[in-house]
Every structure is written in structure tokens, then in C-alpha cells.
Amino acid sequence: MCGIVAYIGPREAYPVILKGLKRLEYRGYDSAGISLLNGGLKVYKKKGKVAMLEETLQGKDLHANIGIGHTRWATHGEPSDRNAHPHTSASGKLAMIHNGIIENYASLKQELINKGYVFQSDTDTEVLLNFIEEIKKKNKCALEEALRIALKRIVGAYVIVLIDQDNPDTLIAARKGSPLVIGIGKDEHFLASDASPIIEYTKEVVYVNDYELAIIKADELILKNLGNERQTPFITKLDMELAAIEKGGYEHFMLKEIFEQPQTIYDCLRGRLDANAGTITMSGIEKYAEQIMNANRIVMVACGTSWHAALVAEYIFEELCRINVEVEYASEFRYRNPVIIKGDVIIAISQSGETADTLVAIENAKAKGAIILGVVNVVGSSIARVSDAGAYTHAGPEIGVASTKAFTAQLAVLTMVALKIGYEKGVLDHDRYLQLLKELDSIPEKVTTVLQQNDHLKVLAEKYKEARDFLYLGRGYNFPVALEGALKLKEISYIHAEGYPAAEMKHGPIALVDENLPVVFIATKDSYHEKVLSNMQEIKARKGKVIAVINEGDEQSIALADDIIVVPEADEIMAPMLSTIPLQLLAYYIGILKDVDVDKPRNLAKSVTVE
Ligand code: AGP
């Protein structure tokens, strides 16, 4: 899940590529590098963030109108200067950047070593590059032809972009599994892993498909398949503004995205939910409404925070639609031999739409005849394109590595789908349906109220920032919120945290409880509230420090808890969209106090495009 950028055209390539790499840095920040072609091939690369590379290039002659750039998330070979991309071929004439994993690289490497090749790095990328060059040399063919031959021998995922000293007016790229967008300008082309480096130059883009090659000149874009047949580029207009990918005065993207949630949830409901008319309109779901209503079960597939959204949706769909839901970790589901029968409904949930495990899991299920519905945030992403239908979450670009606004938007979309299906299936009575539509419609405003707790969360963060461990507990709809709260804290503060169903605690984790352990309870008023109170007493009995997310006037929790966070009351089905937000802020402020780079925490990347 590296970030790749390339440019060819009349502009200075270096500033375009450098800015693009900074926009994509959330995809990986172990090392960065650039290669420019002006007469000879120049390659500059450095371990660490893009800013480190920029520093080393001060004062250098960086003039060129063609170049490639890369920001890395290490898979093969530790973060270092020599493992940074771009890699150069043995002849020194080719340079290449790569996002993905070449699974059969070891056998190819041995083949090349037997031919006398010596490798400068530990990467699979350098192996692929020399493999391409070897074919070019042996077959005395053009680079494009050599690439086509080589890719037929490759196992794995890749986006690669090549620059060739002998062909200074052409970039060659290829894609399978990892994302590649090409921006079309006037006599110039921009290549990137997603649209964020392109949006300020053009809104006309082409999403390259699997097994496609792109041969790019300043004034020409040719797409071909591995069979050397020309493909017609499908040009899409980007529906995104530059401001959406700027910090807008906030110190971090994560804080901006947390505070965007009243608007992003509203954007998610807009044009779909009409609480006054009592309607939900979701054209991407309507086509398969029949199949969903008659499904014996729905399988939800996702990873990380999106998997937590699936867990909340399991409770909602079973409650409102009376359909059995199974929630699957995509990474397990793709390798387990799950029983899938024709017509099974699979819902894939993903912010980026590029998570490799989720993508392959649904490709496998689709091959067995399942119907794939996508709940995705990034328009035009791979999961959106593989899905038969679905709904975008319209949360706008999410740049902070820790998912926040995408999570609440996923909950809003999944709740609308469940309400629609439950009502149309006739298992959700009319009054309850209308009441829940009104509840959902009131969520954006209630989120604004929750965000007014911002300063209080700063105080709590200061109080608990030294804790070594945290426990997050919830029941029912709030159990997945406990998991999500724990994940946010782990990601952003590097403090060990675990989420549990509150009742499960007695079966082991309670052994962890002492006066040094903060225990966060998500204890909003719902059908589980009395039970949660007794769990709170069990913690207090063992001197645990209780932080409780509660509703106004909840005297029992106030009496038990060491600290409280008050959120507006809502139907238990909607409560996760409110109770999650203070947990996002708590993690954010503890991360800040621990001096963590909260937008780019260590070892993580925004979209996990390798398995
Ligand atoms: C969440 O904060 C993490 N960034 C991560 O767990 C993420 O949710 C997971 O990688 C799934 O990503 P997706 O929603 O883009 O598929």
C-alpha cells in the first residue's frame, strides 16, 4: 500500500511529483524516492518521510518534464535507502516504482542470479524490473512487449510505472490488484494511486483495470490488455474539490475528519432519507431489494474499522429485517472454503475500496454466484467496480489513517438499507419505521452536540495518558463501539487496549482490573443498560477507573463512574453513531499528548492493498 505518482508533460515534473507524494503519504511512509529523466536517468531516494527526501534534494538540478515518484510501506526488505523506490535495472537505463507484492519473486530472483544478476536491494520490485530487462535483452523487443511477456509470468498484485532512458517521451504502467488512476490534462498526464494528487490539475481521469497496460506520452494515452489489444479508456469526471483534501485550518486531518461528521452523515442521508415523506431511496440497492429480502442469510465481509461497522449492522439487520447475518474477517473468509450458494448476498464494507483481503474475498464469492453489494467511500475504487450494486458513503476523502467519519457514514448507510429492507419486507411496522427515520434524521444535529465535549475530552486525555492498558466494554449495539474505541486508541497512541462485550469480562479479562486500569464503558440508555451498570459495579469493586459514555441524567452511572462523557439520547439502533465520537476524540488527544504523528501512525497505512 505504497503511493505512486508520475508525470509527463510541459510542467516541471519534480514539484508535481513531490506534492503528489505528500498527498499520498498516508498510504505508506517508510521511505520515498523520485526518478527524473532529462538526458540521463536520475534517481533520488531516502528512508523516512517525503520531507526527508525533499531536504536531501535542496540545490540539486531537478529540471525534467517526465518523472516517477514513490512513498513506501515496506513489505519485502526493511525500510532503508537501498530498499526505497524507484529501483534501477542492471543496465541503469530503466527505473521503476511498484505498489503491491510479487509472490513468486524468489524463484524469478534465483533465475536471474543464475544468469549473473546482482541485486542492490531486498525487494521483489528490483527482481521484477531486472526480469523485464532480461526479457527485453533476450528477445530484442520493445520495453512494452517485454513487460507484457514478463507480466504473464508474475504471481501477485502490482501497479508499476517504468521510465526508460532510451524512450524519454514515454511512461509505461501496468495494473493488477493495486489501484491506478490516470489524470488527463492538455498535453500532459498525471498517474497516481488515487485521485488526491491529480485533482488540482484535472478532473478528467481514467481508472485503469486489472491486466491493463498504459503507454503514456504527453499528448497520448493508450490502454492495452496483456493480449496486446487496444482498450478504450473510460473517462470519469472527479466529483471532489481540492479543499476536501486540505486540512482546512485543523492541525490534523484526523481532527478535521472527526469534526466533519455532522456534515458527512448529513451528506450520506441527503437525497436518500426523507423522514417527512417516510421514504428511503437507494437506487444502488433497489435493484437487488428482492434478493436481499428473500435471502436466508447476509454475509458481511470487511477489515478493521469497517469490520466493526459490519458488527453493528449485524445487530441492526437481524432486529429490523429478521435476516440472519454472518460477519466475516475478509482475510479469513478469502482462504477458508466458505459455503456460498448462488444468490447468496454478500455485503462488502470498505472505506478505501482497495483493501486487498476484502477485494479478493468478494471476487471469490462472486465467482461462486453470490450477489455482491458494496458499501464503499472511494468512488471508482476496485471494490465498488467489482460489486454488482451498492451505496457510496459520501464521507469525502478520508486522509487520516485512523478511520473516523467513514465509520459513522458506513453505519448511516447500513442503517438505511436495513430500514428499507425491513419495511418493504413487512417485518418492520409502519410506526416504528417512521419513528426510526426521524431518529436517523436527527443524528447529524446530535453529533454536533457530542462534539461540544471536545474540551472535556482533552482533560480526560491528560488524566489518562500515562495508562499502560485500557479496557473498553459495551453490550448489544455498543459492543462493536467498544472494539472500535479500543482500535482507535491502539492505532493513535500505541497504548494496548482491548474491547469486549461487557459480560464477557468475567470470563477472564477482569483479571487485568486494578487501580491503574482505565475501563471505558459505553453505557448509553438501551435495553442492556441495567446489565451494564452491574458490570460497572464489578469493575469498581476491583478499584478499576471507570470512564462512562452516558446519556443526560443517568444518575446511577454518574454515581459509579470516575469520569463521564455525556452524549444525547437516541434509539439504541442509532446510538453507535454518537457514542463512537468521544472515543475518537479521546484517542486523538491522548495521541497528541504522546507526540504521535496521529495522521500517519507508525507501521500503518490508509489502505491495505497487499495481503
Ligand atoms: C482503521 O482506522 C484502520 N485504518 C484500518 O483498520 C481500516 O479500517 C482497515 O484497513 C479497512 O480499511 P477499508 O475500510 O479501507 O477497507
Side-chain angles (χ1 to χ4, degrees):
M1 42 237 171
C2 309
I4 61 118
V5 182
Y7 174 76
I8 184 164
R11 300 168 198 257
E12 282 298 325
Y14 173 65
V16 173
I17 294 170
L18 187 74
K19 200 175 199 180
L21 289 179
K22 287 182 178 168
R23 290 224 187 280
L24 290 180
E25 204 163 20
Y26 64 85
R27 301 179 60 87
Y29 25 90
D30 291 328
S31 63
I34 287 182
S35 175
L36 301 169
L37 186 48
N38 175 13
L41 202 51
K42 296 184 187 134
V43 177
Y44 309 103
K45 46 190 184 175
K46 189 89 188 109
K47 180 182 176 200
K49 301 206 167 136
V50 176
M52 313 270 282
L53 173 71
E54 186 178 15
E55 215 173 287
T56 60
L57 297 181
Q58 301 296 330
K60 288 204 184 328
D61 168 13
L62 300 168
H63 167 63
N65 300 115
I66 177 173
I68 57 178
H70 185 273
T71 179
R72 183 174 188 234
W73 192 90
T75 54
H76 292 77
E78 63 175 12
S80 64
D81 291 3
R82 72 191 186 88
N83 286 332
H85 297 212
H87 289 283
T88 316
S89 65
S91 72
K93 289 196 170 175
L94 302 178
M96 186 169 94
I97 50 177
H98 168 220
N99 173 22
I101 287 185
I102 307 301
E103 290 169 25
N104 61 334
Y105 90 104
S107 57
L108 296 175
K109 186 170 186 175
Q110 195 49 55
E111 255 181 66
L112 292 166
I113 288 172
N114 299 346
K115 290 195 171 88
Y117 280 79
V118 178
F119 289 89
Q120 313 306 319
S121 77
D122 312 318
T123 67
D124 50 345
T125 308
E126 189 189 4
V127 173
L128 173 56
L129 177 56
N130 281 315
F131 183 60
I132 296 165
E133 182 159 77
E134 172 61 19
I135 292 169
K136 185 171 180 289
K137 213 167 50 185
K138 208 174 79 217
N139 299 30
K140 296 189 177 43
C141 63
L143 178 59
E144 181 198 326
E145 176 64 18
L147 179 59
R148 249 196 309 282
I149 297 168
L151 293 179
K152 289 181 182 143
R153 286 268 319 269
I154 295 301
V155 179
Y158 57 80
V159 155
I160 54 177
V161 186
L162 284 139
I163 196 169
D164 177 1
Q165 186 168 298
D166 295 344
N167 243 321
D169 64 350
T170 308
L171 288 170
I172 299 189
R175 184 229 150 147
K176 180 202 166 252
S178 301
L180 176 61
V181 190
I182 300 180
I184 300 169
K186 187 166 174 339
D187 297 330
E188 58 185 355
H189 288 98
F190 308 82
L191 285 73
S193 300
D194 65 38
S196 56
I198 293 173
I199 182 74
E200 72 183 273
Y201 305 106
T202 175
K203 292 213 171 176
E204 302 223 322
V205 297
V206 170
Y207 291 95
V208 179
N209 295 312
D210 277 353
Y211 303 108
E212 283 185 349
L213 260 77
I215 299 95
I216 309 122
K217 297 185 184 304
D219 57 0
E220 186 185 42
L221 165 63
I222 296 172
L223 286 185
K224 289 184 177 178
N225 62 18
L226 291 187
N228 199 17
E229 294 149 343
R230 299 269 298 241
Q231 310 292 303
T232 313
F234 178 72
I235 299 175
T236 311
K237 209 159 186 53
L238 285 175
D239 163 21
M240 188 210 295
E241 296 309 324
L242 189 55
I245 51 177
E246 304 282 350
K247 280 190 193 142
Y250 287 88
E251 201 190 339
H252 295 98
F253 283 108
M254 183 178 179
L255 190 63
K256 176 195 175 209
E257 288 153 8
I258 291 174
F259 274 82
E260 279 180 335
Q261 290 177 99
Q263 184 61 43
T264 50
I265 296 172
Y266 174 78
D267 292 343
C268 193
L269 304 177
R270 188 179 48 209
R272 292 164 163 168
L273 170 70
D274 186 335
N276 299 326
T279 59
I280 291 178
T281 314
M282 300 182 86
S283 52
I285 297 291
E286 262 128 30
K287 198 163 148 227
Y288 289 90
E290 210 47 49
Q291 283 94 332
I292 304 171
M293 278 185 242
N294 303 325
N296 300 325
R297 64 176 182 158
I298 293 174
V299 179
M300 295 189 180
V301 176
C303 302
T305 288
S306 297
W307 187 80
H308 294 151
L311 271 186
V312 177
E314 177 179 30
Y315 286 78
I316 299 175
F317 274 72
E318 291 188 347
E319 170 73 24
L320 300 182
C321 312
R322 305 308 298 142
I323 299 174
N324 170 37
V325 173
E326 293 163 17
V327 176
E328 299 280 356
Y329 277 119
S331 53
E332 289 299 313
F333 190 71
R334 68 175 286 185
Y335 283 114
R336 209 177 71 228
N337 183 15
V339 179
I340 295 182
I341 48 178
K342 195 166 173 27
D344 265 354
V345 173
I346 311 261
I347 299 184
I349 305 165
S350 176
Q351 185 289 124
S352 62
E354 299 294 350
T355 300
D357 285 325
T358 308
L359 180 58
V360 177
I362 57 173
E363 285 169 340
N364 295 352
K366 192 170 183 170
K368 292 182 180 164
I371 294 163
I372 310 296
L373 302 176
V375 173
V376 174
N377 194 44
V378 177
V379 176
S381 57
S382 308
I383 290 173
R385 287 186 285 133
V386 167
S387 301
D388 298 299
Y392 283 121
T393 47
H394 299 309
E398 188 176 68
I399 294 172
V401 166
S403 188
T404 53
K405 61 178 182 174
F407 178 64
T408 49
Q410 286 163 350
L411 295 184
V413 163
L414 292 160
T415 305
M416 281 193 282
V417 176
L419 283 165
K420 183 178 175 60
I421 297 297
Y423 183 61
E424 288 173 14
K425 194 180 169 192
V427 290
L428 177 56
D429 78 51
H430 187 65
D431 295 346
R432 176 83 172 129
Y433 171 68
L434 292 181
Q435 181 236 337
L436 288 171
L437 293 196
K438 290 204 168 28
E439 279 270 354
L440 184 53
D441 203 36
S442 72
I443 292 295
E445 207 178 312
K446 288 181 178 174
V447 170
T448 304
T449 309
V450 175
L451 291 168
Q452 285 154 11
Q453 296 273 329
N454 187 48
D455 293 344
H456 177 50
L457 269 302
K458 277 185 193 166
V459 173
L460 292 184
E462 182 60 48
K463 180 174 178 182
Y464 292 102
K465 69 176 191 300
E466 298 308 334
R468 214 182 43 147
D469 306 277
F470 266 72
L471 205 54
Y472 288 73
L473 301 176
R475 296 182 79 140
Y477 295 92
N478 282 328
F479 155 49
V481 176
L483 294 175
E484 179 56 12
L487 176 62
K488 288 286 96 73
L489 191 72
K490 280 183 267 200
E491 288 186 282
I492 295 300
S493 74
Y494 311 153
I495 295 176
H496 171 246
E498 289 191 66
Y500 267 91
E504 187 57 23
M505 194 204 26
K506 291 191 285 300
H507 306 285
I510 198 163
L512 297 169
V513 179
D514 63 17
E515 62 282 3
N516 304 315
L517 182 73
V519 181
V520 180
F521 272 89
I522 298 93
T524 49
K525 286 188 192 130
D526 58 17
S527 51
Y528 303 84
H529 192 52
E530 289 312 310
K531 304 290 178 205
V532 173
L533 286 171
S534 54
N535 297 134
M536 231 184 258
Q537 275 154 349
E538 288 151 10
I539 296 290
K540 286 313 296 171
R542 288 148 183 89
K543 301 191 176 49
K545 291 285 178 293
V546 170
I547 304 165
V549 179
I550 63 170
N551 295 135
E552 199 70 51
D554 177 356
E555 296 311 326
Q556 291 173 290
S557 295
I558 293 169
L560 281 167
D562 298 85
D563 291 287
I564 56 163
I565 303 160
V566 180
V567 298
E569 217 163 311
D571 187 282
E572 63 182 355
I573 289 177
M574 312 293 170
M577 281 182 270
L578 303 176
S579 53
T580 304
I581 295 172
L583 308 184
Q584 297 168 347
L585 285 168
L586 182 66
Y588 172 78
Y589 285 117
I590 291 180
I592 293 293
L593 290 167
K594 293 175 80 73
D595 211 16
V596 169
D597 181 343
V598 291
D599 279 344
K600 296 192 283 284
R602 71 184 182 204
N603 304 341
L604 288 176
K606 183 63 186 169
S607 98
V608 183
T609 55
V610 292
E611 61 169 298

